[in-house]
């Protein structure tokens, strides 16, 4: 859920949920089908997150092919500053041409601490967002934020049920084949 009415740069998550103890990700979008970003040569922004909820040094950005970086030639910058609760980011074209468009430009990957209670809300935001055109004219971009609810990971084996049943295998030792009962 993004806070700004029509942000230029914002997060998109398929469920606005995250699981503790495993890798999660949200996409970073620039522009939208109804709000294209025009005459852009590069973008710079900060990704902000709560280090009390995120595992130490587990937040990072991965840039993707996009309207801004179609040939995957951009100079891309990402500097995690975990203690400052942010990642500094920038992506700049190298071909001398402005572009216009919208879509996913990167993904934020992170691990929620495994001890975080279910139902906790992780707030992430983008700040200090700006774009530059090929003439070096800089303008600010409206930045969005998102609230992600920590939920129980429903994929896996119920450990308590496993402990209640004994699993046996034979022969032991085995060289090629074992049987589980």
């Amino acid at each position: 859920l993004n806070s700004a009415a029509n942000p230029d740069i914002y997060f998109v998550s398929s469920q606005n949920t995250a699981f503790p103890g495993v890798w999660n990700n949200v996409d970073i979008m620039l522009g939208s089908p109804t709000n294209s970003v025009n005459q852009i040569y590069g973008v710079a922004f900060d990704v902000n997150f709560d280090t009390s909820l995120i595992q130490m040094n587990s937040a990072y950005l991965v840039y993707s092919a996009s309207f801004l970086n179609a040939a995957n030639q951009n100079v891309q910058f990402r500097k995690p500053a975990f203690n400052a609760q942010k990642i500094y980011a920038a992506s700049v074209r190298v071909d001398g041409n402005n572009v216009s468009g919208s879509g996913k430009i990167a993904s934020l990957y992170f691990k929620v601490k495994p001890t975080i209670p279910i139902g906790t809300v992780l707030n992430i935001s983008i700040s200090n967002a700006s774009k530059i055109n090929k003439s070096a004219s800089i303008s600010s971009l409206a930045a969005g934020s998102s609230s992600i609810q920590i939920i129980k990971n429903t994929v896996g084996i119920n450990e308590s049920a496993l402990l209640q049943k004994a699993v046996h295998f034979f022969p032991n030792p085995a060289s090629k084949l074992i049987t589980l009962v």
Side-chain angles (χ1 to χ4, degrees):
L1 183 65
N2 283 294
S3 63
N6 290 309
D8 297 310
I9 186 166
Y10 55 97
F11 299 103
V12 170
S13 171
S14 61
Q15 301 291 324
N16 285 332
T17 57
F19 304 111
V22 298
W23 285 106
N24 297 277
N25 75 294
V26 293
D27 293 335
I28 298 175
M29 309 295 284
L30 182 60
S32 70
T34 58
N35 185 27
S36 180
V37 178
N38 297 314
Q39 299 303 302
I40 186 169
Y41 192 70
V43 63
F45 56 95
D46 299 343
V47 174
N48 308 290
F49 52 88
D50 185 346
T51 56
S52 70
L53 303 177
I54 302 293
Q55 285 186 21
M56 182 70 148
N57 298 322
S58 75
Y60 68 94
L61 283 181
V62 174
Y63 290 97
S64 52
S66 67
F67 79 95
L68 181 61
N69 185 19
N72 211 19
Q73 299 283 324
N74 285 22
V75 173
Q76 298 167 331
F77 175 81
R78 57 190 153 246
K79 178 169 179 31
F82 194 81
N83 291 334
Q85 302 190 54
K86 63 179 62 198
I87 299 171
Y88 301 100
S91 181
V92 181
R93 298 174 60 81
V94 295
D95 65 357
N97 297 311
N98 287 328
V99 293
S100 298
S102 64
K104 175 182 165 180
I105 61 167
S107 292
L108 169 66
Y109 287 86
F110 59 93
K111 276 188 178 181
V112 174
K113 291 179 179 176
T115 56
I116 299 302
I118 303 306
T120 301
V121 174
L122 168 64
N123 293 307
I124 55 176
S125 64
I126 295 175
S127 62
N128 300 319
S130 59
K131 70 175 186 171
I132 191 167
N133 66 20
K134 70 178 185 177
S135 302
S137 175
I138 299 172
S139 56
S140 63
L141 294 170
S145 63
S146 188
S147 297
I148 300 170
Q149 185 172 22
I150 309 305
I151 64 171
K152 183 178 181 180
N153 189 351
T154 57
V155 178
I157 298 172
N158 184 341
E159 291 180 25
S160 62
L162 234 171
L163 294 175
Q164 294 172 2
K165 296 181 180 180
V167 177
H168 303 282
F169 65 95
F170 63 91
N172 185 11
S175 62
K176 291 185 181 181
L177 182 67
I178 63 167
T179 302
L180 295 173
V181 289

